[in-house]
Amino acid sequence: MTDSTKDRVVIFDTTLRDGEQSPGATMTHDEKLEIAELLDDMGVDIIEAGFPIASEGDFSAVSEIAKRSKNSVICGLARAQLPDIDRCWEAVKHAAQPRIHTFIGTSPLHRAIPNLTQDEMADRIHETVSHARNLCDNVQWSPMDATRTEWDYLARVCEIAIKAGATTINIPDTVGYTAPRESADLIRRLIAEVPGGTDVVWATHCHNDLGMATANSLAAVEAGARQIECTINGLGERAGNTALEEVVMALKVRGDIMPFDTGIDTRKIMHISRRVATVSGFAVQFNKAIVGKNAFAHESGIHQDGMLKNAETFEIMRPEDVGLAGTSLPLGKHSGRAALRAKLRDLGVDVGDNQLKDIFVRFKELADRKKEVFDEDILALVTAATEDAADRLQIVSLRVICGTGGPAEAVLEMEVDGKELTATCEGDGPVDATFKAIRAVHPNMAKLQLYQVNAVTEGTDAQATVSVRLEEDGMIATGQSANTDTVVASAKAYVNALNRLLVRRDKAGPGADAREVSYKDVS
Ligand code: KIV
Ligand code: ZN
């Protein structure tokens, strides 16, 4: 609901571009389309869908997202080069509302990479922004590493970009170096002093290297920025970006001191957070604001007494506001399909009849094994049901013998490209034996970089979420799975990561790794 007394702040989500740039956070084509649909559905104003020149895969994902977008503006990233901008336009032009985002590193360190003088770079900015504007009415320009760029030069290049037709000027804190007061002062000064500064939208794009990204973004908004660039779960290179859920909820909860509206349906936050964690392979830390497992943990434990007397004692927002139906009863094995559908609706998850059928079957299986099925379990089931059934590697069955008195043994049956294969392997524990069996069925050189187990809920019958990160020939892929059986979840997560490596390898083709074109090599 929009409050007419508040100013509107535009939410620009870059999970699919800056977020996907984090090493290991590869998403498949279908996963990108799914996340884009969820972002569009939750009310994100602008979706930065990818970097079209980077690879065929990025190009086709951006084009397809552009074709399917309903309400959001669809934006693509382009370096300050004409072929980049043309390629970007080719991808975003299918959208009802396309945007080209072009950028160049303007700080002394970044100017040194293409070895351009200040004047040469200024000319390049004029040329590339004008070119973009001739193709598209909606052009965003970013001086990368703006917060380490000399003030005079920054003001000069912003003016050039505005004169060349940019409609949004984004001020990136590329290395997460600024602090709230400085972030606010910079935006205030740019708006006031750059000629034409009041005719464009100013955006803030903050990285989280010092843990100040959200504070810096909000300070910029208070100083006049009207577009916040962010990602779901704060996904992004190094320490990540400003988290969408943090800025949106901060503006919602503290509207008294920051009277700004976003168009976000906050009830969709938890579901999209879970989906991004799953498809990117980046699990959300337990104590992460808003979306962490413990963010509403005051509902149990030592605060319970106060909570029962008055929820506001320890709550500044309700779990329901972010899509966790905290107060409703958990489902059990006698719950029917209607109860499941109602619960999904409470959790902000819209599913079609076929998907509901599939989730219901999984729910019944789980309810047979587990006394109470909590919201987190349901969200994990939705994730499992959305996983790609067309994977080349599929586990058919797994039996593991383990305990004292000898090595563990795994007996595995798998389908590899439709062919059934089996292997029996011993190992140092059940997970080691299982992973060896998977490698016996599908020999590969992938190195295990990360193996992580978390419990979705409490209790010995809780589902375990397992993340596995693999690396092969410089390509990284992460897989995730949840199951009440930790070994089964581990096997599925491992196979999931292998499937993603296969997709990446197919997509990249010979010598065409998507990461070959990085936003840092601006030449
Ligand atoms: O952090 C950064 O500078 C970026 C730019 C490409 C906008 O992501
Ligand atoms: Zn960035």
Side-chain angles (χ1 to χ4, degrees), residues 312-485:
E312 284 181 25
T313 323
F314 290 110
E315 254 183 20
I316 56 164
M317 56 197 148
R318 294 171 312 155
E320 296 90 313
D321 294 341
V322 295
L324 267 184
T327 50
S328 61
L329 291 173
L331 298 180
K333 69 176 176 186
H334 300 298
S335 309
R337 201 176 296 202
L340 178 64
R341 190 190 277 282
K343 171 67 81 180
L344 287 169
R345 229 178 266 132
D346 277 352
L347 295 171
V349 182
D350 298 318
V351 290
D353 286 345
N354 283 343
Q355 215 188 349
L356 178 69
K357 231 190 214 159
D358 184 12
I359 297 168
F360 188 65
V361 171
R362 289 167 195 262
F363 159 70
K364 281 288 175 186
E365 278 167 15
L366 182 65
D368 271 340
R369 281 181 279 138
K370 204 169 177 293
K371 236 177 33 220
E372 290 176 328
V373 180
F374 295 100
D375 294 355
E376 286 84 355
D377 291 317
I378 302 281
L379 289 169
L381 289 182
V382 174
T383 289
T386 325
E387 288 303 300
D388 195 356
D391 281 346
R392 287 176 57 188
L393 311 177
Q394 311 246 7
I395 292 178
V396 179
S397 70
L398 173 68
R399 298 230 52 94
V400 181
I401 305 162
C402 64
T404 55
E409 186 184 81
V411 184
L412 175 74
E413 203 181 332
M414 266 179 69
E415 239 181 63
V416 180
D417 291 328
K419 231 169 57 205
E420 288 216 352
L421 300 171
T422 56
T424 302
C425 287
E426 288 187 350
D428 191 3
V431 174
D432 187 50
T434 303
F435 285 10
K436 281 187 176 139
I438 294 170
R439 278 197 296 275
V441 165
H442 176 71
N444 64 84
M445 301 297 287
K447 283 194 204 78
L448 185 67
Q449 281 196 333
L450 173 103
Y451 170 70
Q452 189 177 305
V453 184
N454 290 324
V456 173
T457 53
E458 263 94 69
T460 50
D461 63 353
Q463 290 197 89
T465 300
V466 177
S467 303
V468 166
R469 191 192 301 158
L470 299 176
E471 187 268 334
E472 191 183 44
D473 290 337
M475 284 187 201
I476 298 174
T478 317
Q480 243 193 24
S481 186
N483 199 287
T484 49
D485 184 320

Side-chain angles (χ1 to χ4, degrees), residues 17-18 205 207 241:
R17 197 281 298 169
D18 213 331
H205 176 114
H207 282 264
N241 293 62

Side-chain angles (χ1 to χ4, degrees), residues 14 17-18 21 48 77 101 103 140 142-146 170 172-175 205-207 229 237-238 241 519:
T14 182
R17 197 281 298 169
D18 213 331
Q21 244 162 250
E48 188 162 54
L77 184 69
H101 175 193
F103 74 98
Q140 171 167 329
S142 298
M144 186 165 70
D145 205 14
N170 175 40
D173 182 30
T174 306
V175 291
H205 176 114
C206 297
H207 282 264
E229 307 212 355
E237 291 204 78
R238 306 184 311 278
N241 293 62
Y519 75 87

Side-chain angles (χ1 to χ4, degrees), residues 12 69 86 113 251 275 370 377 426 469:
F12 176 108
S69 57
D86 290 341
I113 298 172
L251 292 176
R275 285 303 294 147
K370 204 169 177 293
D377 291 317
E426 288 187 350
R469 191 192 301 158

